[in-house]
Amino acid sequence: MHQLFRLVLGQKNLSRAGDLFSLDDSEIEDSLTEALEQIKIISSSSDYQTNSNDQAVVEICVTRITTAIRETESIERHAKALVGLWDSCLEHNLRPSGKDEDTPHAKIASDIMSCILQNYNRPPVMALAIPIAVKFLHRGNKELCRNMSNYLSLVAITKADLLADHTEVIVKSILQDLSETMFYGFWIREQYMILFDKHPNVPH
């Protein structure tokens, strides 16, 4: 792992975290998987949800990592570690507080979601991501659910077979939100029919 990542993550050094953005993407690309694994350890600690320093370090590092992955187009190389960190967020509270503020793990999940699911046209990445993605639909975070549904609609258009095993979960989630907005009603009809046309055995 790059020495600056090792310093920032190893010592949870917030004062040096911003320096990560002074490094070229290519200079840190080899370190991204290991850095993601270290972030998973930090964010899984018992005091993470109350430790503002650790949260700030993780948020900065996640932003730097996802930026580097996009710029170097290395999502397939780091997808396993990225999905692993994403999956670990499901072990924690994702429901917004009374002030509609995202929890620390919801913030991580949101940043990772956009990095992963913008690659909806890359089947190897989606094969890793979709089984985790659908789990976020029932975790009590409407904003995450809404954004996830938008991304999944793109997957349904480009690679519907990856969603075939998860259609029932997706439809149940969207039906729960019909009382709030009719957007999802159109999403159901359009995307679910795509799945059903391609996979007649999908429950309907």
Side-chain angles (χ1 to χ4, degrees):
M1 185 161 55
H2 191 281
Q3 60 182 4
L4 186 53
F5 263 127
R6 185 175 293 110
L7 171 65
V8 171
L9 292 172
Q11 299 182 12
K12 303 170 189 175
N13 191 326
L14 181 58
S15 65
R16 295 296 307 278
D19 293 345
L20 290 167
F21 290 91
S22 68
L23 302 175
D24 290 337
D25 296 315
S26 59
E27 186 178 351
I28 60 173
E29 194 269 319
D30 284 342
S31 302
L32 301 184
T33 285
E34 191 174 353
L36 286 165
E37 292 169 349
Q38 184 62 37
I39 290 172
K40 181 178 176 181
I41 293 172
I42 295 172
S43 63
S44 297
S45 64
S46 59
D47 68 338
Y48 179 73
Q49 296 193 58
T50 58
N51 191 319
S52 59
N53 179 83
D54 290 7
Q55 291 171 26
V57 168
V58 165
E59 288 177 24
I60 292 170
C61 288
V62 168
T63 298
R64 184 65 189 97
I65 289 169
T66 54
T67 299
I69 287 174
R70 290 189 185 99
E71 293 300 317
T72 59
E73 298 184 349
S74 58
I75 182 65
E76 293 186 1
R77 181 178 181 187
H78 304 292
K80 185 176 180 180
L82 199 59
V83 171
L85 175 57
W86 202 30
D87 188 21
S88 72
C89 293
L90 290 164
E91 300 173 7
H92 305 278
N93 177 37
L94 300 177
R95 292 179 181 272
S97 66
K99 298 179 181 179
D100 288 333
E101 294 181 357
D102 275 334
T103 66
H105 293 94
K107 292 177 182 178
I108 297 173
S110 180
D111 288 343
I112 294 177
M113 174 179 63
S114 61
C115 181
I116 294 176
L117 296 183
Q118 283 177 356
N119 294 278
Y120 59 86
N121 59 341
R122 299 194 186 203
V125 176
M126 291 302 97
L128 287 173
I130 294 304
I132 307 303
V134 296
K135 295 180 181 180
F136 284 96
L137 295 175
H138 293 288
R139 295 308 302 269
N141 189 307
K142 293 179 181 178
E143 188 64 23
L144 270 179
C145 181
R146 182 176 294 111
N147 292 334
M148 193 72 71
S149 296
N150 290 337
Y151 281 118
L152 291 178
S153 70
L154 297 174
V155 178
I157 293 171
T158 59
K159 198 65 177 174
D161 58 302
L162 290 176
L163 293 177
D165 291 339
H166 308 287
T167 303
E168 186 174 357
V169 173
I170 295 170
V171 171
K172 283 182 178 179
S173 172
I174 297 168
L175 285 172
Q176 290 176 356
D177 288 327
L178 277 176
S179 60
E180 299 181 15
T181 173
M182 288 306 297
F183 169 80
Y184 291 113
F186 295 110
W187 190 95
I188 293 171
R189 183 172 64 182
E190 179 182 354
Q191 308 309 331
Y192 188 61
M193 287 307 298
I194 290 173
L195 289 175
F196 185 67
D197 287 344
K198 294 186 177 183
H199 303 277
N201 295 323
V202 170
H204 64 289

